[in-house]
Structures are given as C-alpha cells and as structure tokens.
Amino acid sequence: MLVLPDNLNAKEAPEWEEAPGSEDAPQEYQGRSARIAEESRQGSSLNFFNAFVALGTTVSVIMLFLWLMNLIR
C-alpha cells in the first residue's frame, strides 16, 4: 500500500513512501480481482467434472437400456 504525501501542491516532486509491512501481507489479504479469478478457475474445473460425470451417467443409462432391450428380444 502506498502512502500519499499530504501536500500535493509542493514545489518539489512528491516522494512516494511504502507503507510498513505491506510486503509481508498474508495471502488472505490479496485483491478482490485475484480472489475472483481464483474462484473462477476452481469453478471451471468443477463444471468440467460435473459435465464429465453427467456424460458418463447418460452413456451408462443408454447402454443399460440397450442391454435390457436385447435381453427382452
């Protein structure tokens, strides 16, 4: 986090000071966009897994139906 100078109309160029302890910020204090991006990546892998399970279930049900129809015939 940057600390802004009090007087922005000063003749000399303002010196930007680093806030103490900002380089040691823990990961839970990361920015909102970084958290959203991480949740999005986790969500997309979960969506892929759900689609894979749904496809496998559908194929299994169709194969079971065909097997039963073959037994009846």
Side-chain angles (χ1 to χ4, degrees):
M1 184 164 107
L2 295 174
V3 177
L4 299 174
D6 292 335
N7 186 3
L8 293 178
N9 295 327
K11 295 281 186 192
E12 66 275 354
E15 294 183 18
W16 302 95
E17 297 178 6
E18 193 76 28
S22 64
E23 66 276 353
D24 299 329
Q27 191 168 2
E28 64 258 13
Y29 294 114
Q30 61 185 342
R32 181 172 182 249
S33 60
R35 277 196 315 271
I36 292 173
E38 180 63 29
E39 291 170 2
S40 175
R41 281 191 291 274
Q42 290 174 352
S44 63
S45 64
L46 187 61
N47 287 342
F48 177 76
F49 177 73
N50 287 343
F52 184 73
V53 169
L55 179 65
T57 304
T58 304
V59 169
S60 299
V61 168
I62 291 172
M63 289 177 63
L64 180 63
F65 175 75
L66 292 175
W67 178 73
L68 289 173
M69 291 304 291
N70 193 21
L71 283 178
I72 293 173
R73 189 161 52 110

